[in-house]
Amino acid sequence: MQLVREQRGLSKIRLAKTSGLDRRSLARWEAGQQTPDLRTIGRLADALGCHPTALIEWAEDDQ
């Protein structure tokens, strides 16, 4: 997720605002400390302009 976010030129704060999610949660997901649920992955994908499967594969790789 961090790679996609950075490729889009978004900070965690900007992604949090765009997606309506908490930036601390984004940091935990990027650090692999937690995994977002499917609904959240959909919101992140919308905000990042990518297909949700790209983020689902990322989430599965972190586990």
Side-chain angles (χ1 to χ4, degrees):
M1 181 174 73
Q2 180 178 356
L3 179 63
V4 176
R5 177 181 59 75
E6 290 174 348
Q7 287 174 339
R8 305 281 190 288
L10 296 172
S11 67
K12 286 180 194 141
I13 293 170
R14 187 72 194 144
L15 178 56
K17 288 181 182 178
T18 303
S19 65
L21 299 166
D22 180 72
R23 69 173 174 77
R24 292 174 300 230
S25 295
L26 293 173
R28 286 191 295 271
W29 297 327
E30 286 187 1
Q33 297 171 341
Q34 293 180 338
T35 303
D37 61 27
L38 290 176
R39 181 179 297 168
T40 303
I41 288 173
R43 290 172 65 181
L44 288 167
D46 286 344
L48 290 167
C50 67
H51 197 275
T53 56
L55 297 180
I56 291 170
E57 291 169 3
W58 156 78
E60 289 175 348
D61 288 344
D62 271 2
Q63 292 195 24

